[in-house]
Amino acid sequence: MRCPFCAHDDSQVKDSRPTEDNTTIRRRRQCESCGARFTTFERVQLREITVVKSEDRKEPFDRSKIDLSVALACRKRGLAQEQMDQLVSGIQRQLETSGETEIPSQKIGEMVMDGLKGLDSVAYIRFASVYKDFTEAKDFKEFAGSVKDVGGA
């Protein structure tokens, strides 16, 4: 693993432990050249997934995009980071085990919406407002009127 401080190619693993949801291994490393310590995270990837965007553009699946979207939707909602991590890990696992290598971005968006719907109704509406491209206040009102209150604050 390359050192993020001096770019030396070798580092030594000092400590490894699973994260709380047991989907990732957290490794503390130390650079053999400059002695700096840093953390890496390792997770299983079952297959390479390509996301098919609008106009048939394709790009590699990037879990961090879902992480960011979920974090923004859940901002200041009092949800534990572990709940959000489990949601994103579950979506990633479903995608990797689906047997498909190319997945439309719309399908991923629907999976995130379904997950947020069961987690927090406000986060669900926030995500939907961007995903469904709400343009007016009435769009919020109509969508929010169709949402049943679920967990969360």
Side-chain angles (χ1 to χ4, degrees):
M1 176 63 62
R2 183 179 305 248
C3 174
F5 301 103
C6 73
H8 185 71
D9 285 335
D10 291 323
S11 62
Q12 185 177 34
V13 175
K14 294 294 186 181
D15 180 45
S16 291
R17 64 181 67 176
T19 56
E20 288 188 26
D21 64 356
N22 285 320
T23 61
T24 308
I25 300 291
R26 176 186 179 273
R27 299 195 193 282
R28 285 293 294 157
R29 297 177 176 269
Q30 184 169 5
C31 177
E32 293 180 358
S33 176
C34 71
R37 288 182 177 239
F38 56 99
T39 302
T40 60
F41 293 89
E42 180 180 311
R43 72 173 26 98
V44 173
Q45 182 174 334
L46 299 175
R47 72 179 72 228
E48 292 289 324
I49 298 171
T50 301
V51 178
V52 181
K53 308 284 272 183
S54 61
E55 300 174 11
D56 290 328
R57 285 185 306 113
K58 297 178 182 179
E59 64 182 50
F61 174 75
D62 184 357
R63 176 193 166 101
S64 67
K65 289 184 175 185
I66 299 175
D67 278 327
L68 180 60
S69 295
V70 169
L72 287 172
C74 296
R75 188 168 170 249
K76 296 185 179 182
R77 294 299 303 149
L79 297 169
Q81 183 64 46
E82 184 178 327
Q83 290 175 288
M84 293 182 276
D85 290 343
Q86 286 176 347
L87 171 63
V88 176
S89 291
I91 291 169
Q92 183 177 9
R93 205 168 16 262
Q94 286 177 18
L95 294 172
E96 289 177 342
T97 58
S98 72
E100 299 175 44
T101 56
E102 291 189 354
I103 300 178
S105 59
Q106 295 84 0
K107 180 176 181 179
I108 297 171
E110 292 297 328
M111 293 170 81
V112 173
M113 282 190 55
D114 288 345
L116 287 172
K117 188 176 190 177
L119 195 61
D120 184 87
S121 57
V122 172
Y124 172 61
I125 294 169
R126 284 179 178 168
F127 183 84
S129 72
V130 175
Y131 178 68
K132 294 187 176 286
D133 195 23
F134 291 177
T135 56
E136 299 178 14
K138 70 177 183 156
D139 297 335
F140 279 95
K141 185 177 180 180
E142 290 169 6
F143 187 80
S146 70
V147 174
K148 295 195 179 355
D149 199 18
V150 293

